[in-house]
């Protein structure tokens, strides 16, 4: 398990050191040391309950809202400790956006879904600027051509795949550095999944993406780095090609060949 | 070759019979409740509908210019003129006893009606005008068929002589049954023919307004705080249990509390919709809090996560997303609470809204009564005429309730959003 600590990409943006996470008395993550490279896609894989989603939620402190959850150790974003007392969790979440497993657009219009983030952060001075952000975000999420003529229709009226891309557009509208994706395709059909994967590939140029996935094929397709978790431990982390072709740990080997998990 | 597979339903199997039996029990239950409802509403309508009609009698009255000072109409004794006209009409009433019976044909309030009509039309002065005035309640009851003329004279409120006069007037077409507008535009009165529900309706409306203004914001904020912000510890559990208990406290206890605190301690004006509304708000608050908490809890957590995921803080998440989504449920709960409050009598008795109040209240600090209290008061009155008024007031109360529920449904539709 020491070898994964040595994997340090030269342009690290998020780094966790000795992170332990507890839910009440139960420890969910054990001593996680993970460095995430900037402008890359990092996949977190592993069997259910291995703690990969828990770690993902640590990066934007979404676990704060769970009263029994405790996070020890340090997590840095661009060198800053995100648990430092002077850190504003709202600004943190603006810099580290999140896309959830189930598409969860607000029951509002498509426009308002995108505009909500910029509005609450006071990012725009005028309606024209806001319109621009909405258009740009939807374009970047590859949704603009499909919804440009019905921006005032409810976001919940879109198909599942469109809803998920709407959620991605909503996340990038506040101009984050990092986007966390928690199994973004698990509720989507294969065609919608392919569209979202293409989108992830394009977004990589501007954002750092950390994606939790159950599908090893998906991890292999979209990610540059892969981290394998098992029972709360980070077993192995490295370039995706290495993990899938030459895993160093036996557990990784067993998982990717389908013997466990 | 395949075996014969038996999939044909065997009618009369135990499973089928049980299903049918259950269905018929359900139908029976619904049928019975509908029957009872029908009987209840039916009997109220049967008894109350005659209250919307009132008999009027036409009297030829000499409004001689020297008897009436046009500049000082308030001083004119129209009662005397009215009695004079009645005596002119039926000169056979000469004895004191007969005259008394004669005067009892018209409502004791008829002289005010004559004054009003003269005031409204001063050209009548100096002529002999034919004016319509209300009959007394006893005559009205007889004309509506509630008095049996075959009964022994001593057992009915109208004498043979009075019945004779009435049939004479009827033959001359001088008695008419008209729509009783006074019932909807007047306040309470000791005379059934003069009594109206407007005072009580306004009193109820004002009380409910005060109740809603207090209990809705308080209830919603309390529910949102308890559900979204309060730490889940022993204290918040104690509060929760106590709120649930408060919902089960008998309403008269809230009335006593209002009497002791609002009236005696704070010295607020008694019998007023303001205090009535405050007492009803105490009673409604637990209902609203419980319903609001349930609907806040029903908002999917994915919405909260979505908002927090793009950097909304707790307050923004709650008030931009959770509260709007919970609003239909909160409104439903509030309307149930308000409907309860509308029908509440006991706490209002305690704070003096049971007083006999003739004037229609103009504001929340005017003395007033409420619809259910008015019903209670009339039901308690010995006059035969108040019987139909009681049922009619119940109909007004039910109509009030239906209107309130309609408003609630419309409001809820407005707020309803799908996710």
């Amino acid at each position: 398990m020491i070898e994964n600590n040595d994997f340090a990409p030269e342009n690290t943006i998020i780094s966790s050191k000795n992170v332990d996470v507890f839910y009440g008395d139960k420890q969910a993550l054990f001593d996680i040391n993970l460095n995430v490279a900037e402008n890359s896609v990092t996949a977190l894989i592993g069997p259910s309950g291995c703690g990969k989603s828990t770690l993902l939620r640590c990066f934007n402190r979404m676990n704060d809202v769970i009263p029994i959850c405790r996070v020890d150790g340090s997590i840095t974003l661009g060198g800053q400790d995100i648990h430092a007392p002077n850190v504003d969790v709202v600004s943190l979440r603006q810099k580290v956006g999140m896309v959830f497993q189930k598409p969860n657009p607000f029951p509002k219009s498509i426009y308002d879904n995108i505009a909500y983030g910029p509005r609450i952060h006071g990012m725009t001075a005028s309606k024209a600027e806001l319109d621009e952000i909405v258009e740009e975000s939807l374009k970047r999420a590859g949704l603009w051509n499909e919804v440009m003529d019905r921006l005032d229709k409810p976001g919940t009226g879109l198909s599942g795949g469109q809803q998920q891309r709407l959620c991605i557009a909503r996340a990038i509208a506040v101009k984050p550095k990092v986007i966390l994706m928690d199994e973004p395709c698990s509720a989507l059909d294969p065609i919608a999944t392919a569209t979202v994967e293409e989108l992830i590939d394009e977004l990589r140029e501007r954002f750092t993406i950390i994606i939790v996935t159950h599908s090893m094929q998906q991890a292999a397709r979209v990610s540059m780095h892969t981290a394998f978790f098992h029972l709360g431990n980070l077993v192995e982390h490295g370039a995706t090609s290495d993990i899938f072709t030459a895993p160093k740990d036996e557990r990784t080997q067993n998982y990717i060949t389908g013997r466990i998990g | 070759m395949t075996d014969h597979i038996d999939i044909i339903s065997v009618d009369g199997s135990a499973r089928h019979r049980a299903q049918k039996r259950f269905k018929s029990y359900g139908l029976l239950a619904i049928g019975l409740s509908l029957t009872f409802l029908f009987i209840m509403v039916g009997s109220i309508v049967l008894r109350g509908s005659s209250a919307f009609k009132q008999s009027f009698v036409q009297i030829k009255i000499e409004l001689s210019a020297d008897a009436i000072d046009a500049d000082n109409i308030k001083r004119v004794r129209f009662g005397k003129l009215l009695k004079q006209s009645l005596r002119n009409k039926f000169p056979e009433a000469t004895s004191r006893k007969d005259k008394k019976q004669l005067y009892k044909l018209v409502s004791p309030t008829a002289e005010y009606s004559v004054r009003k009509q003269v005031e409204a039309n001063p050209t009548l002065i100096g002529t002999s005008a034919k004016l319509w005035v209300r009959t007394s309640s006893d005559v009205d009851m007889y004309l509506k068929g509630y008095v049996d003329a075959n009964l022994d004279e001593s057992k009915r409120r109208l004498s043979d002589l009075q019945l004779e006069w009435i049939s004479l007037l009827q033959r001359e077409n001088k008695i008419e049954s008209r729509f009783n507008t006074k019932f909807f535009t007047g306040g309470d009165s000791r005379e059934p023919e003069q009594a109206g529900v407007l005072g009580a309706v306004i009193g109820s409306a004002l009380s409910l307004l005060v109740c809603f203004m207090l209990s809705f914001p308080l209830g919603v904020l309390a529910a949102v705080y308890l559900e979204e912000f309060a730490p889940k510890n022993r204290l918040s559990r104690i509060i929760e249990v106590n709120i649930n208990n408060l919902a089960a406290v008998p309403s008269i206890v809230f009335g006593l509390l209002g009497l002791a605190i609002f009236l005696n301690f704070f010295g607020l004006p008694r019998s007023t919709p303001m205090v009535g509304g405050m007492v009803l708000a105490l009673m409604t608050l637990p209902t609203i809090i419980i319903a609001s908490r349930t609907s806040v809890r029903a908002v999917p957590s994915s919405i909260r996560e979505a908002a927090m995921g793009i950097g909304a803080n707790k307050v923004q998440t709650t008030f931009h997303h959770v509260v709007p989504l919970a609003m239909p449920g909160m409104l439903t709960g509030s309307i149930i609470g308000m409907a309860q409050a509308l029908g509440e009598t006991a706490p209002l008795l305690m704070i003096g809204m049971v007083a006999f109040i003739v004037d229609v209240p103009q504001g929340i600090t005017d003395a007033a009564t409420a619809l259910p209290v008015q019903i209670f008061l009339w039901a308690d009155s010995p006059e035969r005429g108040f019987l139909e008024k009681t049922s009619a007031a119940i109909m007004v109360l039910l109509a009030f309730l239906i209107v309130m529920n309609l408003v609630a449904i419309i409001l809820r539709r407005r707020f309803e959003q799908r996710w």
Side-chain angles (χ1 to χ4, degrees):
Chain A
M1 239 188 294
I2 294 304
E3 65 264 44
N4 70 59
N5 295 349
D6 296 334
F7 182 81
E10 63 276 19
N11 50 350
T12 298
I13 180 162
I14 286 185
S15 142
S16 73
K17 282 198 184 64
N18 310 107
V19 169
D20 294 307
V21 179
F22 302 87
Y23 288 113
D25 296 332
K26 195 177 160 290
Q27 189 164 3
L29 284 175
F30 299 87
D31 194 30
I32 303 297
N33 294 288
L34 180 73
N35 296 313
V36 177
E38 195 169 6
N39 290 359
S40 70
V41 179
T42 301
L44 310 183
I45 61 169
S48 293
C50 66
K52 53 195 189 305
S53 290
T54 300
L55 181 66
L56 194 74
R57 292 167 67 95
C58 287
F59 291 147
N60 67 346
R61 288 177 56 184
M62 279 300 267
N63 287 328
D64 284 14
V65 295
I66 303 168
I68 57 163
C69 182
R70 200 178 88 232
V71 180
D72 292 344
S74 92
I75 298 171
T76 54
L77 172 70
Q80 271 179 293
D81 183 359
I82 65 166
H83 289 104
N86 59 348
V87 165
D88 180 17
V89 68
V90 167
S91 321
L92 171 69
R93 289 185 190 145
Q94 187 189 342
K95 291 281 168 264
V96 185
M98 191 158 196
V99 175
F100 297 86
Q101 184 170 1
K102 209 176 138 241
N104 55 356
F106 299 129
K108 296 172 188 267
S109 71
I110 293 170
Y111 184 93
D112 286 337
N113 260 285
I114 311 290
Y116 181 70
R119 265 192 201 132
I120 60 169
H121 294 301
M123 288 167 61
T124 54
S126 66
K127 177 90 171 66
E129 251 180 282
L130 191 60
D131 287 348
E132 208 173 293
I133 290 187
V134 170
E135 182 175 342
E136 193 192 301
S137 307
L138 284 170
K139 273 185 178 155
R140 206 161 279 163
L143 199 59
W144 176 251
N145 291 333
E146 292 160 61
V147 300
M148 57 191 286
D149 51 350
R150 47 174 173 152
L151 289 175
D152 55 338
K153 295 284 182 312
T156 41
L158 298 172
S159 76
Q162 287 174 323
Q163 283 190 18
Q164 195 59 296
R165 278 182 287 151
L166 180 66
C167 292
I168 293 172
R170 183 177 65 187
I172 59 184
V174 294
K175 307 210 185 320
K177 301 295 274 181
V178 180
I179 302 174
L180 309 174
M181 297 187 175
D182 191 356
E183 299 182 38
C185 300
S186 65
L188 305 183
D189 66 66
I191 294 169
T193 300
T195 322
V196 171
E197 281 178 11
E198 272 169 43
L199 175 59
I200 291 171
D201 215 38
E202 283 164 31
L203 291 175
R204 191 182 62 193
E205 290 164 23
R206 287 168 175 273
F207 307 100
T208 306
I209 293 170
I210 307 176
I211 179 169
V212 165
T213 178
H214 262 126
S215 154
M216 280 174 284
Q217 291 89 335
Q218 184 172 55
R221 279 194 300 265
V222 301
S223 71
M224 299 151 79
H225 304 292
T226 297
F228 172 66
F229 289 76
H230 189 241
L231 300 176
N233 292 300
L234 173 56
V235 176
E236 196 168 346
H237 181 205
T240 301
S241 50
D242 293 345
I243 296 276
F244 279 93
T245 53
K248 297 195 187 85
D249 195 285
E250 197 190 341
R251 287 169 292 179
T252 318
Q253 169 84 36
N254 287 343
Y255 182 71
I256 59 172
T257 52
R259 252 172 279 169
I260 59 164
Chain B
M1 209 193 109
T2 54
D3 287 335
H4 174 72
I5 303 169
D6 194 3
I7 53 165
I8 308 297
S9 92
V10 185
D11 219 27
S13 74
R15 184 160 52 84
H16 275 249
R17 277 199 309 269
Q19 201 170 337
K20 274 190 183 152
R21 208 162 48 228
F22 181 76
K23 235 170 135 181
S24 56
Y25 290 157
L27 282 174
L28 192 73
I30 290 173
L32 268 179
S33 24
L34 279 181
T35 314
F36 286 133
L37 186 73
F38 185 77
I39 291 173
M40 191 191 81
V41 175
S43 74
I44 289 170
V45 172
L46 270 184
R47 277 192 209 172
S49 54
S50 58
F52 301 126
K53 291 275 187 186
Q54 166 70 38
S55 323
F56 281 74
V57 59
Q58 193 197 51
I59 307 243
K60 192 171 153 197
I61 185 162
E62 296 294 337
L63 300 166
S64 61
D66 39 304
I68 298 173
D69 178 4
D71 300 323
N72 207 352
I73 279 182
K74 292 260 186 278
R75 281 285 179 83
V76 181
R77 295 178 61 192
F78 284 103
K80 218 171 134 191
L81 291 174
L82 194 64
K83 285 176 180 170
Q84 180 64 50
S85 325
L86 283 166
R87 286 200 300 274
N88 292 347
K89 172 76 188 161
F90 300 109
E92 65 269 31
T94 47
S95 72
R96 206 180 141 77
K97 192 175 153 242
D98 287 359
K99 279 190 209 162
K100 225 175 166 180
Q101 285 187 30
L102 179 63
Y103 302 153
K104 277 193 175 161
L105 287 184
V106 297
S107 164
T109 60
E111 55 180 295
Y112 308 113
S113 154
V114 173
R115 185 169 73 201
K116 251 192 198 153
Q117 294 183 54
V118 174
E119 267 177 335
N121 189 3
T123 55
L124 290 173
I125 298 170
T127 65
S128 91
K130 289 177 175 171
L131 297 180
W132 288 93
V133 295
R134 279 155 202 277
T135 64
S136 69
S137 180
D138 288 335
V139 175
D140 189 43
M141 287 297 109
Y142 168 71
L143 292 169
K144 283 171 180 168
Y146 291 124
V147 177
D148 186 1
N150 298 324
L151 262 156
D152 189 63
E153 192 180 2
S154 63
K155 286 186 178 160
R156 51 182 145 84
R157 291 183 60 85
L158 292 175
S159 66
D160 290 340
L161 190 59
Q162 283 173 312
L163 292 184
E164 218 169 280
W165 288 330
I166 291 169
S167 58
L168 183 76
L169 286 167
Q170 272 178 314
R171 278 198 299 281
E172 293 176 3
N173 278 333
K174 286 189 172 162
I175 284 190
E176 220 177 74
S177 179
R178 296 185 181 176
F179 182 70
N180 187 6
T181 46
K182 191 81 193 170
F183 183 71
F184 295 101
T185 58
D188 197 7
S189 169
R190 289 279 183 240
E191 313 300 333
E193 69 274 16
Q194 191 71 14
V197 287
L198 187 66
V201 168
I202 301 284
S204 269
L206 289 173
S207 300
L208 285 183
L209 187 74
V210 172
C211 172
F212 186 78
M213 299 291 247
L214 285 174
S215 59
F216 186 71
L218 277 179
V220 166
L221 284 176
V224 168
Y225 178 77
L226 285 173
E227 225 22 76
E228 297 283 312
F229 295 95
K232 300 273 172 283
N233 54 23
R234 183 186 289 265
L235 182 68
S236 62
R237 270 197 301 276
I238 290 174
I239 292 174
E240 178 167 358
V241 168
N242 279 303
I243 288 172
N244 291 345
N245 284 342
L246 271 185
V249 168
S251 55
I252 194 148
V253 175
F254 289 111
L256 285 167
L257 184 80
L259 176 64
I261 308 268
F262 298 148
L263 298 189
N264 290 346
F265 188 73
F266 289 113
L268 295 174
R270 71 190 151 84
S271 305
T272 57
M274 179 170 75
V275 179
M278 286 162 78
V279 169
L280 293 177
L282 289 179
M283 214 196 72
T284 321
L285 209 48
T287 315
I288 295 185
I289 293 178
I290 292 169
S292 301
R293 289 188 71 171
T294 314
S295 63
V296 166
R297 224 173 294 156
V299 174
S301 56
S302 66
I303 295 291
R304 291 184 187 87
E305 290 195 325
M308 283 193 292
I310 49 172
N313 63 27
K314 190 83 194 166
V315 174
Q316 288 168 329
T317 305
T318 304
F319 287 98
H320 294 171
H321 300 284
V322 178
V323 171
L325 287 174
M327 200 43 102
M330 290 174 171
L331 279 175
T332 310
S334 307
I335 291 302
I336 292 171
M338 301 304 283
Q340 266 176 1
L342 174 64
E344 206 52 70
T345 322
L348 301 183
L349 302 184
M350 286 291 121
I351 53 139
M353 285 186 86
V354 69
F356 171 70
I357 291 143
V358 176
D359 294 318
V360 175
Q362 302 296 313
I364 57 167
T365 51
D366 281 359
T369 186
L371 260 174
V373 182
Q374 185 71 76
I375 291 166
F376 164 75
L377 282 170
W378 283 349
D380 222 22
S381 300
E383 287 89 347
R384 182 66 183 73
F386 277 123
L387 193 67
E388 54 169 19
K389 301 282 181 215
T390 307
S391 293
I394 294 173
M395 284 157 72
V396 172
L397 181 67
L398 290 177
F400 198 126
L401 206 64
I402 289 168
V403 169
M404 242 172 74
N405 283 335
L406 275 181
V407 172
I409 290 169
I410 292 166
L411 274 177
R412 209 165 52 205
R413 285 268 166 83
R414 278 247 167 132
F415 279 107
E416 208 137 65
Q417 288 168 308
R418 312 226 162 264
W419 64 76

